[in-house]
Amino acid sequence: MSLHDMVIANADGATVRADINNAFAAIVSNFSSATAPAGANLFALMWWYDTANNKLMQRNEANTAWLTRYDDNATYPYYPLKYIKLSHAESSTTNGGTATSGSYQTRVINTEDNDADAEVTISSNVITFTNGGTFRCNILTPCYRVNDFRSRLRQTGAGATTLLVGTNGYNNTAGSYAQTFSVIVGEFTVPAAATVEIQTQVDTTKATDGYGVASGFTGSEIYTVAEFWKVADV
């Protein structure tokens, strides 16, 4: 476990050899230390194993921040596999709720299906990203008999902004009925404790089942489904 500035200074043979050995020791141990390399010990794209937190870190290309590449403490240690799944679930025969025309409306999110690493919490349909970070997502938002509609992922509270906008959706209010989806796909970054909502805007109000029609099958009725993969810390 050692750090080194990767500079071999002029000195007598034994001292130079010792300095080279120390440099190699730092490299083969991934500059392992309980504290991050700093000052002359910092290099763009270098590795550092954080022995205090059991994480393998890599310096970014601009040499301005550390990126987590592997977390020994996590259920899914590689960040691209740090998986979160949330959904809107109701008891059998319960429809998805009324879709009201006009401004964007918050979709129900009431079930935390997967979040082994405790990256989010949900309360009153608000998703809080506890630690923040950069995430990729795939979100399905169903609608029924509302004509045109579209969904978005919206950061609320301080720093409110639209993070991603979903695909256009359409289903007829008369004639051939079908339940269709607006799909939100992309990558976004939020700070720690950021609050986020999934929201939908519809052209025509549809009471009771505008946000999804119950199947009546055994088990829960599932409507909005949101998947997230964490790819980097903030």
Side-chain angles (χ1 to χ4, degrees):
M1 298 183 186
S2 60
L3 299 177
H4 199 280
D5 61 8
M6 296 294 110
V7 175
I8 308 301
N10 290 326
D12 61 82
T15 300
V16 168
R17 183 175 66 179
D19 201 11
I20 292 172
N21 286 338
N22 287 338
F24 283 144
I27 293 169
V28 299
S29 69
N30 286 321
F31 294 88
S32 58
S33 173
T35 56
N41 293 324
L42 276 178
F43 303 92
L45 302 177
M46 72 179 290
W47 295 96
W48 163 50
Y49 188 82
D50 178 0
T51 57
N53 297 294
N54 299 317
K55 293 182 179 182
L56 180 61
M57 315 293 288
Q58 187 179 26
R59 197 72 174 166
N60 66 5
E61 191 172 359
N63 199 18
T64 57
W66 290 103
L67 307 174
T68 302
R69 297 305 191 195
Y70 188 92
D71 184 350
D72 277 337
N73 304 303
T75 302
Y76 303 108
Y78 290 107
Y79 265 47
L81 297 179
K82 208 163 192 180
Y83 178 66
I84 302 150
K85 181 187 174 188
L86 311 175
S87 63
H88 172 195
E90 299 289 351
S91 59
S92 181
T93 73
T94 301
N95 290 303
T98 297
T100 304
S101 66
S103 59
Y104 277 95
Q105 305 293 311
T106 302
R107 298 299 294 255
V108 173
I109 290 291
N110 57 11
T111 304
E112 197 168 341
D113 301 292
N114 299 88
D115 183 20
D117 299 299
E119 286 291 335
V120 304
T121 60
I122 53 175
S123 177
S124 302
N125 308 317
V126 175
I127 307 164
T128 299
F129 286 83
T130 307
N131 304 309
T134 298
F135 297 82
R136 293 172 185 164
C137 69
N138 182 50
I139 303 171
L140 305 178
T141 56
C143 282
Y144 176 66
R145 295 179 65 184
V146 296
N147 286 319
D148 296 295
F149 67 97
R150 186 167 63 183
S151 296
R152 68 182 183 183
L153 189 66
R154 177 80 176 170
Q155 182 176 334
T156 59
T161 187
T162 297
L163 301 170
L164 294 168
V165 176
T167 58
N168 296 337
Y170 178 80
N171 41 56
N172 203 347
T173 58
S176 300
Y177 304 138
Q179 180 169 293
T180 56
F181 297 85
S182 175
V183 183
I184 306 170
V185 178
E187 182 174 291
F188 62 94
T189 300
V190 288
T195 54
V196 172
E197 295 180 2
I198 300 167
Q199 302 174 345
T200 299
Q201 185 176 37
V202 303
D203 183 56
T204 303
T205 296
K206 179 65 171 72
T208 308
D209 56 9
Y211 284 148
V213 180
S215 67
F217 296 151
T218 301
S220 297
E221 308 283 357
I222 306 298
Y223 299 106
T224 296
V225 174
E227 297 178 290
F228 302 92
W229 294 263
K230 187 170 187 178
V231 297
D233 288 327
V234 289

